[in-house]
Amino acid sequence: MATNADEHKNQGERLLAVLRSLQRDTVPSLVRVNEDEDLSLIDIALLQTLDHDRAPFPGDPTLKELAAVLGRSTSRTSRLVDRLVRRGLVERYEDGADRRVRRVRLADGGHAVLGRIARTRVEAQSELWTHLTAEELESVVGAMELLAAAARRMRSERDARGRPE
């Protein structure tokens, strides 16, 4: 009889295989957007981190906070931000309370890029969903709702610990 740890490991391996298959078959449309925008995955991660309705930090992040969220050094994150500033995708600005502090926010160009990426993802998913029966679609949507709820709980726990990961 399998232990809970064995079952969890088996389910994790099964999920990994499913995600790899899903990505392999749907990623080409996203790659086209990235080629048009000439963005790396870390560029997109940074833009998405700045595109928040509830950030993992109060207000716009400092460079150090942004680096912590991305799991990068401050110097690497600074170079990344500089490149995106030159492209008009993000902005650096002085903190109103402390002029020594520089904060980072999404610029209009960054909002536009994220909008194009989101539309492409939705189009790819919508096409994929046309290959599902109504019952299968209901199952997928229910599972996605469960994943979204789990992600919110995970983020709340991180926020409670005061660690913007």
Side-chain angles (χ1 to χ4, degrees):
M1 184 166 159
T3 65
N4 285 342
D6 290 337
E7 182 63 25
H8 187 73
K9 180 181 177 193
N10 291 339
Q11 290 297 333
E13 290 171 358
R14 183 175 165 208
L15 178 60
L16 182 59
V18 168
L19 289 174
R20 283 182 174 160
S21 173
L22 183 63
Q23 289 173 343
R24 179 185 59 244
D25 296 332
T26 61
V27 161
S29 61
L30 296 178
V31 169
R32 283 191 297 277
V33 170
N34 291 347
E35 285 176 350
D36 292 345
E37 303 295 347
D38 193 26
L39 294 170
S40 68
L41 289 176
I42 191 66
D43 293 335
I44 294 170
L46 186 147
L47 294 174
Q48 289 177 328
T49 298
L50 294 175
D51 184 34
H52 53 77
D53 55 354
R54 179 181 72 95
F57 23 70
D60 294 326
T62 64
L63 195 59
K64 185 176 181 179
E65 290 169 332
L66 188 56
V69 170
L70 296 174
R72 304 274 188 199
S73 69
T74 303
S75 62
R76 286 180 74 188
T77 304
S78 180
R79 288 190 300 274
L80 175 61
V81 166
D82 288 343
R83 189 173 73 241
L84 295 175
V85 165
R86 285 191 300 274
R87 294 186 58 188
L89 302 179
V90 301
E91 301 170 343
R92 284 187 197 224
Y93 67 95
E94 273 182 11
D95 185 296
D98 184 347
R99 292 177 44 185
R100 296 171 297 174
V101 175
R102 304 276 290 168
R103 297 199 173 271
V104 183
R105 68 178 161 223
L106 201 57
D108 289 343
H111 284 289
V113 165
L114 289 177
R116 286 190 293 275
I117 290 170
R119 280 189 298 282
T120 300
R121 284 183 176 157
V122 167
E123 289 167 5
Q125 289 171 354
S126 294
E127 182 180 349
L128 176 64
W129 290 14
T130 64
H131 296 275
L132 296 173
T133 67
E135 184 177 289
E136 291 168 336
L137 184 57
E138 182 63 32
S139 294
V140 168
V141 171
M144 297 298 285
E145 289 170 342
L146 291 172
L147 287 172
R152 284 190 300 274
R153 288 191 302 272
M154 182 176 70
R155 186 168 182 177
S156 292
E157 289 171 11
R158 280 194 308 233
D159 289 352
R161 291 191 308 262
R163 292 176 41 205
E165 296 173 5

